[in-house]
Amino acid sequence: MAAASAVHARRRRRLVLPLLLLLLPVVRARVTALIVFGDSTVDAGNNNAVPTAVRSNFPPYGRDFPGGRATGRFSNGRVATDFYSEALGLGRGFVPAYLDPDYGIQDFAIGVCFASAGSGLDVATSRVFQVIPLWKQVEMFREYKARLAAHLGAAEAHAVVAGAVYAVSIGTNDFIENYFALTTTRLLEFTVPEYTEYLVGLARAFLAELYGLGARRIGFTGLAAMGCLPLERARARALARGGCDEAYNAAARGFNAALAAMVADLGAELPGADIRVAEVYDFFEGVVREPARHGFVRADVGCCGTGTYEMGYPCGAWAAAPGGTCPDADRYVFWDAVHPTERASRLVAEHLVNSTFGRFDN
Ligand SMILES: *[C@@H]1O[C@H](CO)[C@@H](O)[C@H](O)[C@H]1NC(C)=O
C-alpha cells in the first residue's frame, strides 16, 4: 500500500513539474550587448580608418542620420543593426564602429560593430578592395574582449560576451564583387554549388570560432535577392534580359539553403549555442517586387545619381548636383545602386527582430 502510494506520488510529481514549468512566466535573459560582424549592410564606419576606396563618409551619405552626419554607413541614415540595438532595449539606436575614434570601450560595452564594407566570407573578396577580412574582424573581437576585461573586470566582461546577441551579415560580396564579377579566379575554380559549399564551410568555421570565444546567441542573416539590386538589374538590362537577374537570385537561395542546414547541424553540436539564420530573402524580395504595398514608389533604381551603378565615391559625386539625389529617400527601397535606404532597412530590421534577433530567450 505504502509502496503503491509512493509510486503514485512520484507519478504526480512527474506530472506536476512540467505543468509548473509551463505556468512559469517566460523569463528572458537580459541581452547585454549587440556585437556585429559583416559587410557594408552593417558597417558603421570602420572603413573610414582603412585605406580603401569602399567608403561613404561624405555627402549625400548620412543626410538623414542624426545631425546629418556621414558616418561611413552606406545609407542615407541608419542601418539594420542600429534598429536591432534599439529593439533589444540596449538604450541607444545605433551601434558604434570599433575603429571610430569618437567611441571608447565604455561605449562598446553595450554594442560594437566590427563589420567592413566590401568584406566577404572568402578572404579573396576582402582583398578586391583592401578591406577588413572576416578573420581580422575576429582579431578585433579578441582585442575587444581583452579591453572589456580590463574595463569591467573578468567576470563582468565574460557576462557581457555570453549575454550578447551577435549579428552577422556577410556573403553577398563573395558573389557580386568576387565570383560573378570575375575580379578573382574563383569562377574558374568553382561551380556555383561548389563555391556555395566553400563559403558555407568558411561560415561554419567562423561561427565555431565565435562560439569558442564565448558567443552563444548568434543570428546569421541569409542573403537577400541580390539579383534585384539596382546594379544587377541594370547589368541584366544591358544584357537585354530586364528585371532581376535570376542567376544571382538562385545563387542567393542556394546559399541560404546550405547555410540553414549547416547552422542546424552546428547548433546541435555546440552545447548551449543558439545559432539561427535570419531569413531575409522572401521578405525583402516581396518589398522589391511590390514596393507600393510597403509605401515605396521605386525599387528598381537607387535614390543617388542615376541609381543604376553609383555607390561610394561615384554617388558622392552627385551630392552637389541639382537633382543629383531624390528629394525623399523614404520613397525609395534603395539609397544607392546596392544599399537600402534607412526606411527599407528599418522595415527589414523589424521583420528580423520579430523573427530572429528579438527571440533569443535562453
Ligand atoms: C513586427 O511585429 C510587430 C509587433 O507584432 C508588428 O506590429 C510589425 O508589423 C512587425 N513588423 C514586420 C516587418 O514584420
Side-chain angles (χ1 to χ4, degrees), residues 283 347 350-351 354:
F283 182 80
L347 195 61
E350 261 181 33
H351 168 70
N354 286 355

Side-chain angles (χ1 to χ4, degrees), residues 296-323:
F296 295 103
V297 175
R298 301 220 53 181
D300 55 336
V301 294
C303 168
C304 187
T306 68
T308 57
Y309 72 89
E310 302 90 341
M311 66 157 185
Y313 285 115
C315 169
W318 285 93

Side-chain angles (χ1 to χ4, degrees), residues 17-18 30 83 121 142 152 155 236 350:
L17 193 61
R30 191 173 68 92
F83 294 109
L121 287 159
R142 285 180 197 276
L152 298 175
E350 261 181 33

Side-chain angles (χ1 to χ4, degrees), residues 283 294 346-355:
F283 182 80
H294 302 271
R346 180 196 291 272
L347 195 61
V348 168
E350 261 181 33
H351 168 70
L352 294 182
V353 165
N354 286 355
S355 66

Side-chain angles (χ1 to χ4, degrees), residues 62-361:
R63 74 177 189 194
D64 299 312
F65 195 82
R69 269 193 320 131
T71 57
R73 286 170 176 78
F74 278 79
S75 170
N76 57 307
R78 292 187 280 166
V79 295
T81 37
D82 295 319
F83 294 109
Y84 303 167
S85 178
E86 192 168 294
L88 290 172
L90 290 167
R92 66 181 179 201
F94 68 98
V95 185
Y98 187 62
L99 299 181
D100 188 330
D102 287 347
Y103 298 95
I105 192 64
Q106 66 283 358
D107 306 301
F108 300 143
I110 59 166
V112 60
C113 170
F114 300 107
S116 171
S119 199
L121 287 159
D122 181 353
V123 73
T125 303
S126 58
R127 286 198 198 110
V128 174
F129 291 110
Q130 306 297 323
V131 298
I132 307 169
L134 192 56
W135 67 264
K136 187 79 185 289
Q137 296 181 29
V138 174
E139 282 308 297
M140 296 197 299
F141 177 57
R142 285 180 197 276
E143 182 189 87
Y144 162 77
K145 281 182 60 184
R147 287 175 64 192
L148 200 61
H151 176 61
L152 298 175
E156 181 66 12
H158 177 83
V160 168
V161 168
V165 165
Y166 294 77
V168 184
S169 182
I170 198 161
T172 305
N173 291 324
D174 294 306
F175 289 100
I176 72 170
E177 151 195 334
N178 174 352
Y179 188 87
F180 287 128
L182 302 172
T183 50
T184 71
T185 54
R186 292 302 190 225
L187 187 107
L188 306 174
E189 294 158 8
F190 298 101
T191 63
V192 171
E194 285 166 356
Y195 191 54
T196 297
E197 192 183 329
Y198 175 66
L199 294 177
V200 169
L202 294 171
R204 183 187 179 108
F206 163 74
L207 291 170
E209 191 173 10
L210 268 196
Y211 175 87
L213 291 169
R216 291 295 175 268
R217 306 192 276 193
I218 310 174
F220 197 121
T221 307
L223 299 188
M226 57 192 177
C228 296
L229 300 176
L231 181 71
E232 306 310 342
R233 277 186 192 251
R235 204 184 35 77
R237 252 196 315 278
L239 301 171
R241 273 181 278 152
C244 302
D245 189 313
E246 296 308 331
Y248 281 54
N249 283 350
R253 288 192 300 268
F255 177 91
N256 291 341
L259 180 71
M262 179 275 283
V263 161
D265 187 59
L266 182 66
E269 220 174 76
L270 304 175
D274 187 354
I275 310 177
R276 301 165 187 224
V277 176
E279 299 277 6
V280 73
Y281 188 98
D282 291 339
F283 182 80
F284 193 65
E285 194 187 34
V287 173
V288 166
R289 297 219 192 259
E290 292 184 281
R293 272 192 54 197
H294 302 271
F296 295 103
V297 175
R298 301 220 53 181
D300 55 336
V301 294
C303 168
C304 187
T306 68
T308 57
Y309 72 89
E310 302 90 341
M311 66 157 185
Y313 285 115
C315 169
W318 285 93
T325 54
C326 69
D328 181 3
D330 284 356
R331 294 157 71 87
Y332 283 66
V333 173
F334 291 97
W335 164 246
D336 64 16
V338 172
H339 303 99
T341 55
E342 174 181 84
R343 183 159 170 262
S345 288
R346 180 196 291 272
L347 195 61
V348 168
E350 261 181 33
H351 168 70
L352 294 182
V353 165
N354 286 355
S355 66
T356 309
F357 290 101
R359 296 190 169 267
F360 288 103
D361 292 341

